[in-house]
Amino acid sequence: MRAVANAILVVLGWAAVGISLLLSGPALAGMDLPRGNGLPVIVQAGASFLSLDGFDENAGTFRATVDVRLRWTDQRLARTGPAAGSPPETLRDAEAQARMREIWVPPVVLSNQIGEAALSDDGLRIYPSGRVELLRRVTADFSVDVNVERFPFDRQRLPLKLVVSGLTVAEVALRFDQSDIDYSRPSANAALAGWSVGLVDLKSQPQPGWYNGTHAQVVASLDIARQPGVVVASIFIPLFASLVIPLLAIWLNRMEDGVFQVDTYEMVNIIIGGLFAVIALNFTVYSSYAVLASGDNTVNRLFALNYLTLASALFVNILFARFNVVSRLFGPYVQEQAYVTIMWAVPCLILTLATAFMLVAYV
């Protein structure tokens, strides 16, 4: 009797498993990769920028509302017979999310998204041919690599990185065609204070994964250009003005019969005042634009030129006016002519370098 009872239990167990598979089989099959057209599954990707809510270049983040569009074909969803001519199935929000749990959806994520999205809405459209279009609207913060080498004439690229998670390029590939390029653009309301909004560029950049695998990635980058007017007025005019201070310590002195008429200590006081002015300006600029503190950029070059000019003015005054080194070695006439040459050569060299720095950034 015990053997019969065990056999009955085994049969009932297998029957329960079979019924479970029958009930869940279609839904689970729909969650598998659509292999009707072979592998990899081609998913077309595009993204548009609806609004730009902020750009923190010091933190390397921007906040935006974007629409991500994915399109693929799943032959298992194709309709036959009279239903083949029916309109597409269009679903929004909760209905779309419920339907997405029943079918296969590309596991595409925004890899540079920071934290949870403030808004995430889905729209799903399934055509009778089996063509599927997923539209996801997201409001969130995104990370961005900021390059200020050409500051204040720099251009930045605000990227959306669409990456296939968990599947390699042999299983799912991201592509884009002209229709995706046309779709990927900023809206008329996408504006950012202090910046001019340009176009969106799509680029395929596969990413390395585990065990020598590669994951498909498409990067949609919005090009923005800095409006330099305010920055030039608030940073570069003071930087150029501070360059004049040590030059005054050279210009204001004068010679008569090889003898300097202004005491060296007065010139040195001007130079020290210029040093404190540059330090204060340095602190002010880097407090507002911390991103400029590291790396090679126009501001750092001009600050370095300011310190070099201060050191040059101090060296000239000590060498010529304080210790009369040239006069002792070559006579007062040579010293006077050498000083006149320096009065014009040093300012011309310094101003030429400063102008070159700005032109390099502009061009």
Side-chain angles (χ1 to χ4, degrees):
M1 293 296 294
R2 180 176 299 177
V4 173
N6 289 336
I8 293 173
L9 289 175
V10 170
V11 171
L12 291 175
W14 280 108
V17 171
I19 293 172
S20 175
L21 289 174
L22 287 173
L23 293 175
S24 62
L28 290 175
M31 299 293 288
D32 295 334
L33 280 169
R35 302 173 184 268
N37 295 326
L39 293 180
V41 178
I42 304 300
V43 178
Q44 292 179 252
S48 62
F49 289 75
L50 299 184
S51 66
L52 299 172
D53 304 317
F55 174 38
D56 187 345
E57 54 191 310
N58 293 326
T61 62
F62 71 95
R63 188 174 183 84
T65 298
V66 299
D67 277 350
V68 176
R69 189 181 72 174
L70 303 175
R71 296 182 296 164
W72 68 98
T73 298
D74 190 340
Q75 295 294 344
R76 297 169 298 183
L77 301 176
R79 305 172 197 171
T80 58
S86 60
E89 180 184 3
T90 303
L91 305 168
R92 288 285 306 276
D93 301 331
E95 292 181 348
Q97 294 170 5
R99 188 73 171 101
M100 288 163 58
R101 288 191 289 269
E102 300 173 353
I103 65 174
W104 181 83
V105 176
V108 175
V109 298
L110 292 167
S111 63
N112 65 323
Q113 178 179 322
I114 302 173
E116 294 293 330
L119 171 70
S120 183
D121 292 333
D122 293 316
L124 187 67
R125 183 171 292 174
I126 303 176
Y127 293 87
S129 62
R131 188 68 170 168
V132 185
E133 179 179 298
L134 171 62
L135 188 65
R136 177 162 293 166
R137 179 164 295 179
V138 177
T139 299
D141 293 320
F142 302 93
S143 62
V144 55
D145 295 326
V146 179
N147 185 353
V148 291
E149 183 177 350
R150 296 182 57 190
F151 182 91
F153 308 107
D154 54 317
R155 307 179 72 93
Q156 304 297 334
R157 301 176 71 85
L158 307 183
L160 296 175
K161 298 181 179 181
L162 283 64
V163 181
V164 176
S165 175
L167 299 175
T168 66
V169 292
E171 298 168 297
V172 177
L174 293 181
R175 300 284 189 270
F176 54 86
D177 56 19
Q178 188 60 48
S179 64
D180 298 303
I181 295 173
D182 294 338
Y183 174 81
S184 302
R185 64 185 187 278
S187 72
N189 297 323
L192 198 59
W195 298 84
S196 299
V197 178
L199 302 177
V200 175
D201 176 60
L202 292 180
K203 183 177 294 185
S204 179
Q205 295 180 341
Q207 292 294 300
W210 289 96
Y211 307 111
N212 296 323
T214 304
H215 302 285
Q217 175 183 245
V218 167
V219 180
S221 302
L222 175 64
D223 184 73
I224 59 174
R226 191 189 303 273
Q227 297 171 353
V230 175
V231 177
V232 169
S234 61
I235 296 179
F236 287 91
I237 290 179
L239 275 171
F240 273 84
S242 62
L243 280 173
V244 178
I245 297 176
L247 298 180
L248 288 175
I250 299 176
W251 283 336
L252 291 179
N253 213 335
R254 64 184 189 277
M255 299 184 67
E256 291 182 6
D257 298 328
V259 179
F260 288 97
Q261 302 300 305
V262 181
D263 192 82
T264 306
Y265 295 106
E266 297 182 17
M267 299 295 100
V268 171
N269 285 335
I270 295 177
I271 297 172
I272 293 175
L275 175 62
F276 282 116
V278 174
I279 293 174
L281 182 59
N282 191 310
F283 177 78
T284 302
V285 170
Y286 290 152
S287 296
S288 301
Y289 296 91
V291 68
L292 295 173
S294 60
D296 183 23
N297 55 73
T298 312
V299 173
N300 284 342
R301 294 172 187 172
L302 287 175
F303 272 124
L305 187 60
N306 266 277
Y307 291 118
L308 177 63
T309 307
L310 288 165
S312 300
L314 182 62
F315 175 77
V316 168
N317 274 277
I318 291 177
L319 182 68
F320 282 83
R322 178 66 181 88
F323 295 107
N324 293 304
V325 174
V326 179
S327 178
R328 293 177 181 179
L329 292 176
F330 305 103
Y333 176 77
V334 174
Q335 175 167 274
E336 182 175 353
Q337 296 304 311
Y339 192 79
V340 170
T341 302
I342 288 174
M343 284 179 62
W344 294 105
V346 171
C348 289
L349 178 62
I350 295 301
L351 294 178
T352 299
L353 283 174
T355 303
F357 292 158
M358 295 297 293
L359 290 176
V360 167
Y362 182 74
V363 177

